[in-house]
Amino acid sequence: MSTSPFVLLPSSHARVYDTFSAADELEAQLRQKIRGEVRFDAASKALYATDASNYRHTPIGLVIPLDEADVVATVAICRSFGAPVLSRGGGTSLAGQCCNTAVILDFSKYMNAMAPVDPIARTVHVQPGIVLDRVREAAENFELTFAPDPATHSRCTLGGMIGNNSCGVHALMGGKTVDNIESLDLLLYDGTRMTVGRTSEAELERLIAAGGRIGGIYAGLKRLRDSYAELVRTQFPRIPRRVSGFNLDELLPESGFNVARALVGSEGTCAVILGATLKLVKSPHYRTLVGVGFEDIFIAADHVPQLLTHKPIGLEGMDGYLLDAMRQKHKLLEDLKLLPPGDGFLLVEFGGPSQADADGQAHALVAALGQLPARPSSRIYTSAEAARVWHIRESGLGATAFVPGKPMRWEGWEDAAVDPAQEGSYLRAISALMREFNYQSPMYGHFGQGCVHMRFDFDLESEAGILAYRQFIERAADIVVAHGGAISGEHGEGQARAALLPKMFSPELIEAVREFKLSWDPDNKLNPHNLVDPHQPHEDLRLGVDYKPWQPETHFAFAEDGGSFAAATQRCVGVGACRKQDAGAMCPSFMATGEELYSTRGRAHLLWELMQRELLPNKWENDQVKESLDLCLACKACKSECPVSVDVATYKAEFLSHYYENKRRPLAHYAFGRIDLWARLASIAPGIVNAIN
């Protein structure tokens, strides 16, 4: 490897502990005006200091707004103090978009309403905190759906999907989030409220002529369009999954000067979304899934263009590495047997007006596979089998992040996209780069649109390892740009990739990106240092060269985690499967309360923070950590349902054993803890025991 031009900060957490000097005053004013919840305590800051990414920024505080009036009041009060604001939904962002030194607005608990579906216009209006599956369930009553459906569909929110321009399996059928937004209701940092969407030239001129703040925004966007139109046309990759940068192409005349869609993917850096009108598409009522097995994932990728000629509604891929990880963790073992022979797999889904039609398309594909030189294996699934196979694919991130006996795997280069015709070549080039750096990663994702997810065993704790990680993503970006692709095909840039945008776009287009941001947020107070003037990818790491967690003696061995309680809590990678509320048993306390504090993820994050001895005081005697664990039923659902097997029941037992080392336990503990003694006494003197009871 060549000598790195990058320099680490003296501490990789150097900006994590930036303080906001007027936090106490700000909190007091928020408490006076907000009808929702205001939390500036240590535990709340710890809960929201990270998302599903590698990054960690201590927030100023947390507001859980009850309604739009709360949001407007929060932003106004923050503006009076000059405090930054960050919008957040499910908190599953992988590039660091959902953590910042800011006042966080969590929309997921209260602002999750949805208007009735309009089956004629095929639209529905939603608040930003609504979970995607709730929208899809309502739309399916009219055989409609919201096409983008990422693997986190059971807990991701629409506000977050709009912020990141999410995609998912069926973007192949109906496009990315940007393609399915009709209008957005916005609140700007300066208090301006507006609803934006497609804008005719006559309407554009009328808005500009009206003047004021709104007229000024439209005038600036028109200047930006007129100045950079040709650069946008020539430099934006013409591929299905270009999420990188702002959607400046939506301002072009041929796109109808669609301001709402231009803001999709802006990662909360331009406006606070108060509501959105979504476009719904026809949902094929009957579906058939085909599994296709190839010799390896590269050969599978080579054949994607041929499979696309059969017009599937979904085409996903995954390699044998992902399956091996599941086998080592004893996850979904019976489901894995459903896959055909091979070491690289494509899942091809067809939809039609009848089951016979969908089945016919599937059989036509299988017949065509027999003519391919690669001679892949295949299997057509029943509906019940298809659900099990899709579960394998959706478990990809969590299943490969932690595998016993192997290093943790991290995001950082997990989201690039190329034209499907370039997919095999791109994957071979990345694979060669991986061998050079001695990295390993699974390969899975949205092969039908050229977007391949990966998760690498980066060393993010040593200076040499962090610099190697930075060198790797620089060179990986060169490879994807050389293939005409985008450095982000779904997860967005955030802190992980924004600094790489100059590799994709010329200095002139980078300036256009800056102008777009400043048109909306000239004071740079909305999720600052994301996309524009970004922090570097190797800074502000959750781990980093100064990562030296507390390593207390424990009662449990934590053998799969190197004997370390800190390492055990580090398993949680933030995908938020514990925040689903419609299926399974994990996590009962979150299902009942909707509180991050009582989710498996929240508890794991608090215990991880406890091991840092920075935000949370009193070590084992921390009362807020105990409060988080009090509602844990120790049902062990997390150990079996969590894709990385976070075992909060064991963590709770370990914590409480230390918490009560120097204090008396509640009477109930003695009652249940000595149940064997009470049972023996009851057998000897049942009358006395019954009288006591």
Side-chain angles (χ1 to χ4, degrees), residues 147-474:
D149 57 344
T152 55
H153 54 81
S154 63
R155 62 270 189 194
C156 67
T157 66
L158 262 296
M161 291 182 68
I162 293 167
N164 287 358
N165 196 4
S166 299
C167 306
V169 174
H170 294 104
L172 183 64
M173 173 181 73
K176 306 184 294 292
T177 296
V178 66
D179 305 309
N180 293 278
I181 297 297
E182 291 294 309
S183 66
L184 295 177
D185 306 322
L186 307 176
L187 170 68
L188 307 191
Y189 188 78
D190 63 13
T192 301
R193 294 187 64 171
M194 55 196 297
T195 296
V196 298
R198 181 181 291 269
T199 316
S200 68
E201 285 297 311
E203 177 72 1
L204 177 59
E205 294 304 325
R206 186 190 69 77
L207 288 166
I208 293 172
R213 176 72 170 114
I214 293 176
I217 289 172
Y218 278 96
L221 295 178
K222 182 176 183 291
R223 284 194 301 272
L224 190 149
R225 177 198 68 181
D226 295 343
S227 300
Y228 297 103
E230 288 310 308
L231 284 176
V232 170
R233 292 187 180 106
T234 57
Q235 290 189 26
F236 271 44
R238 296 179 179 274
I239 59 175
R241 286 291 189 97
R242 193 278 310 159
V243 168
S244 294
F246 292 127
N247 292 323
L248 302 181
D249 52 329
E250 294 291 347
L251 297 178
L252 297 176
E254 55 266 34
S255 300
F257 202 83
N258 197 316
V259 179
R261 294 185 178 184
L263 285 165
V264 173
S266 56
E267 301 182 2
T269 63
C270 296
V272 176
I273 296 170
L274 297 175
T277 299
L278 314 179
K279 182 180 83 171
L280 304 175
V281 300
K282 189 71 176 175
S283 177
H285 192 64
Y286 299 95
R287 304 186 183 201
T288 304
L289 181 66
V290 182
V292 186
F294 292 86
E295 182 180 348
D296 61 40
I297 198 65
F298 308 110
I299 296 173
D302 292 337
H303 287 83
V304 166
Q306 291 162 287
L307 270 61
L308 286 174
T309 63
H310 291 262
K311 307 296 183 185
I313 63 172
L315 202 168
E316 298 290 288
M318 53 189 180
D319 65 1
Y321 194 101
L322 188 154
L323 274 58
D324 289 342
M326 288 188 173
R327 292 188 185 103
Q328 290 182 57
K329 298 168 70 171
H330 305 287
K331 297 275 189 181
L332 308 181
L333 296 182
E334 291 302 311
D335 298 342
L336 294 177
K337 295 176 183 178
L338 293 171
L339 293 171
D343 203 48
F345 306 90
L346 297 177
L347 305 178
V348 191
E349 186 178 56
F350 295 97
S354 68
Q355 194 61 59
D357 182 89
D359 289 347
Q361 295 178 64
H363 285 288
L365 171 68
V366 170
L369 293 176
Q371 308 303 313
L372 298 178
R375 305 296 298 219
S377 59
S378 63
R379 178 169 178 172
I380 298 176
Y381 300 110
T382 65
S383 296
E385 290 172 338
R388 293 164 62 191
V389 173
W390 279 129
H391 188 43
I392 296 172
R393 161 63 191 89
E394 291 176 355
S395 300
L397 189 158
T400 58
F402 173 82
V403 179
K406 294 191 175 183
M408 281 287 289
R409 302 190 181 280
W410 306 99
E411 64 89 6
W413 189 259
E414 84 296 339
D415 191 34
V418 297
D419 188 288
Q422 294 288 321
E423 203 162 8
S425 173
Y426 163 68
L427 291 183
R428 289 181 175 90
I430 285 292
S431 184
L433 185 66
M434 288 162 57
R435 289 193 295 272
E436 180 181 340
F437 279 75
N438 198 29
Y439 290 148
Q440 289 184 318
S441 173
M443 297 180 179
Y444 59 95
H446 314 297
F447 276 55
Q449 293 193 307
C451 179
V452 180
H453 297 320
M454 303 181 187
R455 200 164 181 95
F456 289 90
D457 50 343
F458 296 130
D459 168 13
L460 299 180
E461 295 184 43
S462 73
E463 182 172 353
I466 294 170
L467 293 178
Y469 148 70
R470 179 61 195 262
Q471 289 176 328
F472 177 85
I473 63 172
E474 288 277 336

Side-chain angles (χ1 to χ4, degrees), residues 388-651:
R388 293 164 62 191
V389 173
W390 279 129
H391 188 43
I392 296 172
R393 161 63 191 89
E394 291 176 355
S395 300
L397 189 158
T400 58
F402 173 82
V403 179
K406 294 191 175 183
M408 281 287 289
R409 302 190 181 280
W410 306 99
E411 64 89 6
W413 189 259
E414 84 296 339
D415 191 34
V418 297
D419 188 288
Q422 294 288 321
E423 203 162 8
S425 173
Y426 163 68
L427 291 183
R428 289 181 175 90
I430 285 292
S431 184
L433 185 66
M434 288 162 57
R435 289 193 295 272
E436 180 181 340
F437 279 75
N438 198 29
Y439 290 148
Q440 289 184 318
S441 173
M443 297 180 179
Y444 59 95
H446 314 297
F447 276 55
Q449 293 193 307
C451 179
V452 180
H453 297 320
M454 303 181 187
R455 200 164 181 95
F456 289 90
D457 50 343
F458 296 130
D459 168 13
L460 299 180
E461 295 184 43
S462 73
E463 182 172 353
I466 294 170
L467 293 178
Y469 148 70
R470 179 61 195 262
Q471 289 176 328
F472 177 85
I473 63 172
E474 288 277 336
R475 293 179 57 186
D478 291 336
I479 290 172
V480 76
V481 171
H483 282 81
I487 61 175
S488 175
E490 179 170 30
H491 298 158
E493 267 84 35
Q495 187 165 350
R497 286 173 288 275
L500 303 177
L501 282 175
K503 289 180 175 290
M504 273 188 65
F505 301 131
S506 66
E508 293 82 6
L509 265 188
I510 292 297
E511 181 57 29
V513 167
R514 182 186 302 278
E515 288 181 24
F516 184 84
K517 155 78 170 175
L518 293 178
S519 295
W520 300 98
D521 181 32
D523 296 325
N524 193 27
K525 294 298 184 182
L526 294 178
N527 205 10
H529 302 295
N530 278 274
L531 286 175
V532 174
D533 297 325
H535 290 169
Q536 294 299 309
H538 61 288
E539 297 171 351
D540 308 313
L541 295 170
R542 191 178 176 207
L543 302 183
V545 295
D546 58 341
Y547 178 61
K548 297 292 186 292
W550 182 32
Q551 300 288 2
E553 290 188 14
T554 57
H555 299 289
F556 291 99
F558 299 107
E560 290 187 345
D561 301 287
S564 167
F565 185 67
T569 65
Q570 189 177 297
R571 283 189 185 212
C572 179
V573 292
V575 296
C578 50
R579 286 176 58 95
K580 67 185 187 300
Q581 295 186 298
D582 58 345
M586 178 183 70
C587 175
S589 51
F590 177 79
M591 291 181 183
T593 66
E595 284 282 350
E596 179 75 9
L597 182 71
Y598 300 124
S599 68
T600 298
R601 180 177 72 179
R603 290 169 175 137
H605 281 179
L606 277 188
L607 289 165
W608 186 89
E609 290 284 354
L610 192 71
M611 296 298 104
Q612 309 318 303
R613 297 181 291 179
E614 295 164 344
L615 279 177
L616 299 177
N618 302 330
K619 297 184 180 179
W620 292 120
E621 296 186 357
N622 186 282
D623 288 329
Q624 289 191 298
V625 175
K626 179 181 177 296
E627 178 192 352
S628 173
L629 295 168
D630 275 345
L631 291 188
C632 170
L633 302 180
C635 65
K636 288 281 190 177
C638 50
K639 184 171 174 61
S640 59
E641 287 188 24
C642 172
V644 288
S645 300
V646 170
D647 185 1
V648 172
T650 298
Y651 305 166

